[in-house]
């Protein structure tokens, strides 16, 4: 299957700083990328959907000024957590989709663990 | 709620036993998928079942789908300790987004 990478795999930062997480599709062009967050022992919650070259669509309750998403190319999307606080500590997972036949297949990155001190 | 429901939330079985996990969802779907996640890791896609399919097999996995009840089940036969993980169902909600269920944490004792 297609490969999606995330960088960094884990990051620790101080409260008030901003952190950027990259999501790359390595061997296919991703028309759409999704960003999820996952709290310990919980499920994945969709944060936003981003299409290359356009503004991201955020899910209800997700602050777009807090979680900045840029999808500048068909292989790269970035999530920037601005002015991070300890409650932003979470596991962030991206996924990317191209098309395969009539069903859009979604490929997940390995996740980024963010710890805000 | 964004999520569907899964039961049980946690399941502990002995190696060799079968494990059954259930998932219910809320909206019409085009397909339903099951994923596995080892602790602190990314997701591994297990199987996709389309809305016009009722059952699908892949190795030791068997998935059923009942669209009239908006439910699906994942059966893992002859479980192994290495099957210990969290299992999530995910639906497309009839659209383009993937919506995850709450997940079942499976623990297989050796």
């Amino acid at each position: 299957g297609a490969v999606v990478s995330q960088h960094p795999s884990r990051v620790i930062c101080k409260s008030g700083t901003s952190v950027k997480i990259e999501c790359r599709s390595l061997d296919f062009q991703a028309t759409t990328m999704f960003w999820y967050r996952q709290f310990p022992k919980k499920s994945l919650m969709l944060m936003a959907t981003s299409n290359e070259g356009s503004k991201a669509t955020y899910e209800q309750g997700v602050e777009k000024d807090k979680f900045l998403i840029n999808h500048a190319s068909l292989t790269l999307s970035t999530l920037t957590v601005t002015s991070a606080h300890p409650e932003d500590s979470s596991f962030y997972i991206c996924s990317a989709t191209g098309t395969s036949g009539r069903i859009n297949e979604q490929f997940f990155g390995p996740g980024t663990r963010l710890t805000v001190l | 709620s964004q999520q569907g429901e899964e039961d049980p939330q946690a399941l502990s079985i002995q190696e060799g036993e079968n494990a059954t996990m259930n998932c219910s969802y809320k909206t019409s779907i085009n397909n339903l998928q099951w994923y596995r996640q080892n602790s602190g890791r990314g997701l591994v896609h297990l199987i996709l079942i389309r809305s016009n399919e009722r059952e699908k097999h892949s190795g030791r996995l068997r998935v059923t789908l009942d669209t009239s009840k908006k439910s699906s089940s994942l059966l893992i036969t002859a479980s192994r300790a290495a099957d210990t993980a969290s299992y999530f169902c995910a639906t497309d909600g009839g659209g383009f987004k993937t919506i995850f269920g709450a997940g079942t944490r499976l623990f297989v004792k050796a």
Side-chain angles (χ1 to χ4, degrees):
Chain A
V3 179
V4 175
S5 70
Q6 279 184 244
H7 178 79
S9 58
R10 55 179 69 227
V11 55
I12 301 172
C13 69
K14 292 182 179 179
S15 190
T17 60
S18 294
V19 175
K20 180 186 283 189
I21 302 170
E22 293 185 349
C23 176
R24 293 182 185 273
S25 57
L26 298 185
D27 50 3
F28 69 103
Q29 292 188 326
T31 52
T32 304
M33 288 183 169
F34 302 88
W35 286 96
Y36 299 83
R37 70 184 296 181
Q38 183 181 32
F39 291 108
K41 298 183 180 179
K42 297 292 184 181
S43 187
L44 283 74
M45 296 293 292
L46 179 64
M47 300 175 66
T49 302
S50 78
N51 293 295
E52 184 266 338
S54 61
K55 290 183 179 180
T57 303
Y58 290 81
E59 294 300 302
Q60 192 173 10
V62 178
E63 299 176 61
K64 60 182 180 181
D65 295 329
K66 172 77 172 172
F67 299 100
L68 300 178
I69 292 171
N70 184 284
H71 193 160
S73 76
L74 284 171
T75 59
L76 174 64
S77 176
T78 60
L79 167 67
T80 301
V81 183
T82 62
S83 187
H85 289 278
E87 57 264 32
D88 298 324
S89 298
S90 190
F91 193 54
Y92 292 88
I93 301 176
C94 74
S95 70
T97 184
T99 57
S100 175
R102 299 174 65 182
I103 297 177
N104 292 327
E105 291 186 79
Q106 202 168 5
F107 303 99
F108 286 83
T112 295
R113 184 162 303 285
L114 170 63
T115 303
V116 184
L117 302 177
Chain B
S1 168
Q2 189 178 106
Q3 298 176 340
E5 300 293 323
E6 285 183 66
D7 76 273
Q9 291 185 343
L11 179 62
S12 182
I13 59 174
Q14 290 291 139
E15 206 167 30
E17 294 180 339
N18 295 340
T20 300
M21 290 160 269
N22 302 297
C23 163
S24 61
Y25 54 92
K26 298 179 179 180
T27 64
S28 297
I29 62 171
N30 295 313
N31 60 72
L32 182 144
Q33 304 184 67
W34 282 90
Y35 291 87
R36 165 199 168 116
Q37 184 183 36
N38 286 75
S39 181
R41 303 272 184 165
L43 294 173
V44 174
H45 183 262
L46 295 177
I47 198 164
L48 178 151
I49 185 166
R50 304 183 192 201
S51 60
N52 62 353
E53 297 176 311
R54 291 296 166 259
E55 189 172 312
K56 204 161 183 180
H57 296 255
S58 177
R60 292 184 296 114
L61 306 180
R62 172 177 168 254
V63 167
T64 63
L65 178 64
D66 187 335
T67 52
S68 67
K69 295 181 180 178
K70 290 187 170 59
S71 68
S72 174
S73 69
L74 169 67
L75 167 68
I76 304 175
T77 60
S79 64
R80 306 166 183 168
D83 294 328
T84 295
S86 291
Y87 292 83
F88 297 95
C89 70
T91 63
D92 61 359
F96 197 61
K97 294 188 290 190
T98 297
I99 302 169
F100 284 87
T104 295
R105 284 183 287 123
L106 173 66
F107 181 64
V108 181
K109 293 178 281 188

